[in-house]
Amino acid sequence: MPRSDAARRRERRWQVGVVTAFVLVLAAASAAGVDVVREARERPAALSAVDAGPVSSEDSRRQVNVTISVSSDAPFSFTYVTTAGEQVTRESEDGSPVSVTTVERGNGPYVQVWAQTAPWSTFVRCEVEVDDDLRSEERIEGPAAATYCVA
């Protein structure tokens, strides 16, 4: 069944909104003297070690449950990077909260999370819990809000 004109317009507004939000964030960061693209590509040393193979029974690194929760009042997208270097992107088309739980190993930090909302939003909120203990929380208000959490 072909999509309606209204559905195409909503999708186009969302795409334009995301691009606009990204440009605004880069412009604000540039004005602040921050190279956002370079910093996003450089992983901290704690997250550089890649363990791509299966975990052996002799692996004594600490294992934890990490829960990431992101919410807003408008559509949003977020990306998280695990200790294994895996990059995962999720989104909410209507702004409803999204939670992801993952098992990580080591002594932390376990995940980095970047979240961005649509230009008509009023806030974005990010939380990271490690074994049910809130380790990072950030709420940014304003249109096209962007946030970063790490724990």
Side-chain angles (χ1 to χ4, degrees), residues 44-49 61-64 66 81-84 104-112 128 130 135 150-151:
L47 293 179
S48 321
R61 293 180 298 165
R62 180 175 179 222
Q63 178 175 309
V64 296
V66 178
V81 179
T82 67
T83 54
E104 299 298 325
R105 290 187 172 274
N107 295 316
Y110 302 105
V111 294
Q112 296 182 75
V128 180
V130 177
R135 297 285 182 92
V150 62

Side-chain angles (χ1 to χ4, degrees), residues 25 115-117 124 138 140 142-148:
V25 167
Q116 174 90 46
T117 65
V124 64
E138 175 111 16
I140 302 295
T147 186
Y148 171 77

